Amino acid sequence: MAAKILVVDDEQEIADLVEVYLVNEGFQVCKFYTGREALSCVEQEHLDMAILDVMLPDVDGFVICRKIREHHHFPILMLTAKEEEIDKITGLTLGADDYITKPFRPLELVARVKAQLRRATKYNTSIQEEETGECLLVSGIRMNRGTHECWLNERQLSLTPTEFEILWVLCEDRGQVVSSDELFRRVWGEKYFSSNNNTIMVHIRHLREKMQDSTEHPRYIRTVWGVGYKLNG
């Protein structure tokens, strides 16, 4: 069955363009021009992904993102204004998985969507089948990939699928530096990292906050400047 994607943008030309490209790729699209209509769709439809514009006339994309994350784990891609760096960081902090800035190339958007859906499909399959039983135990971090559960020193952490996958990769490669390029490849399934994309940085910061870790004196995730990230093991 084709993935069903929510698209909301008050700029009708952009929403219509995104719909055309996604439909051409075989996806089902629920398209709206207002935040309230989008929220109603989230409550009524079974969705596989959401593409949310930040600036909407009624309910902004941040509110929709937060509402989605209260009950759903499907991927969220934020559309942000090019000059508004704070929008990108805010969206990721609220639980978005990725962002793309306007103006954007439709084919790049499609590539991002496919990458997110591949990762989500892999994640959901492991939970539904519960057949792998994969577990990791590193430096007080206990992770179960089959149930998407993570504990730190017996305290359960509430992680988004993206945060879980990033921490899993760092645990797998404990003691080794993992570059941002490598994290993108292994978490998102393809490489579209660029030097001005701070997606990984924000997810790492959010992970540290949930783990009550320090940037200056990290007990768990350490930044190796100019190289990547490393889990102390």
Side-chain angles (χ1 to χ4, degrees):
M1 183 181 293
K4 185 179 290 186
I5 302 174
L6 169 67
V7 175
V8 55
D9 197 311
D10 65 322
E11 296 182 70
Q12 295 189 16
E13 297 84 359
I14 293 179
D16 294 348
L17 179 67
V18 171
E19 179 186 32
V20 167
Y21 273 83
L22 292 179
V23 169
N24 283 343
E25 293 294 327
F27 298 117
Q28 297 182 54
V29 175
C30 298
K31 179 187 65 178
F32 301 99
Y33 306 125
T34 69
R36 287 192 179 89
E37 290 176 307
L39 282 173
S40 178
C41 177
V42 170
E43 294 173 357
Q44 297 175 18
E45 297 284 346
H46 175 78
L47 299 169
D48 298 290
M49 186 171 177
I51 301 174
L52 310 176
D53 183 27
V54 170
M55 299 298 294
L56 295 169
D58 50 355
V59 181
D60 68 39
F62 296 142
V63 172
I64 301 171
C65 179
R66 187 167 61 246
K67 291 287 187 183
I68 289 173
R69 279 293 170 256
E70 289 176 359
H71 303 288
H72 305 285
H73 288 299
F74 58 73
I76 299 173
L77 176 68
M78 305 295 294
L79 302 179
T80 68
K82 186 173 184 180
E83 67 275 9
E84 296 297 335
E85 189 73 15
I86 189 63
D87 285 351
K88 305 168 188 176
I89 296 172
T90 301
L92 294 171
T93 301
L94 290 173
D97 296 277
D98 201 0
Y99 64 82
I100 191 167
T101 56
K102 298 180 181 181
F104 54 83
R105 292 173 296 175
L107 290 179
E108 181 185 2
L109 176 68
V110 170
R112 300 279 187 99
V113 167
K114 289 181 176 179
Q116 289 294 335
L117 288 172
R118 278 198 300 271
R119 184 185 59 77
T121 299
K122 177 182 175 183
Y123 159 73
N124 288 328
T125 299
S126 69
I127 286 187
Q128 291 165 8
E129 295 178 352
E130 293 186 6
E131 64 182 17
T132 61
E134 289 185 79
C135 296
L136 285 175
L137 179 59
V138 181
S139 302
I141 302 167
R142 182 159 53 97
M143 305 185 74
N144 186 316
R145 204 169 202 171
T147 61
H148 185 72
E149 292 177 310
C150 178
W151 293 266
L152 175 60
N153 297 325
E154 302 309 315
R155 176 173 63 90
Q156 189 164 7
L157 303 180
S158 177
L159 304 181
T160 67
T162 300
E163 292 164 356
F164 187 94
E165 287 299 322
I166 289 173
L167 187 57
W168 181 275
V169 169
L170 293 176
C171 285
E172 276 192 321
D173 291 7
R174 57 192 174 277
Q176 303 177 47
V177 179
V178 183
S179 69
S180 294
D181 281 8
E182 178 69 5
L183 279 171
F184 259 92
R185 186 185 68 80
R186 290 167 67 178
V187 173
W188 276 265
E190 66 179 49
K191 181 179 174 181
Y192 52 80
F193 177 79
S194 62
S195 59
N196 61 357
N197 191 324
N198 60 10
T199 304
I200 293 291
M201 179 188 70
V202 176
H203 282 306
I204 292 288
R205 188 182 71 185
H206 214 208
L207 267 173
R208 283 179 174 143
E209 290 172 357
K210 292 183 177 182
M211 298 171 75
Q212 298 177 0
D213 203 5
S214 165
T215 303
E216 293 76 18
H217 306 287
R219 290 173 295 167
Y220 304 106
I221 302 175
R222 197 176 67 141
T223 300
V224 181
W225 296 108
V227 184
Y229 301 94
K230 165 179 163 178
L231 186 76
N232 293 328

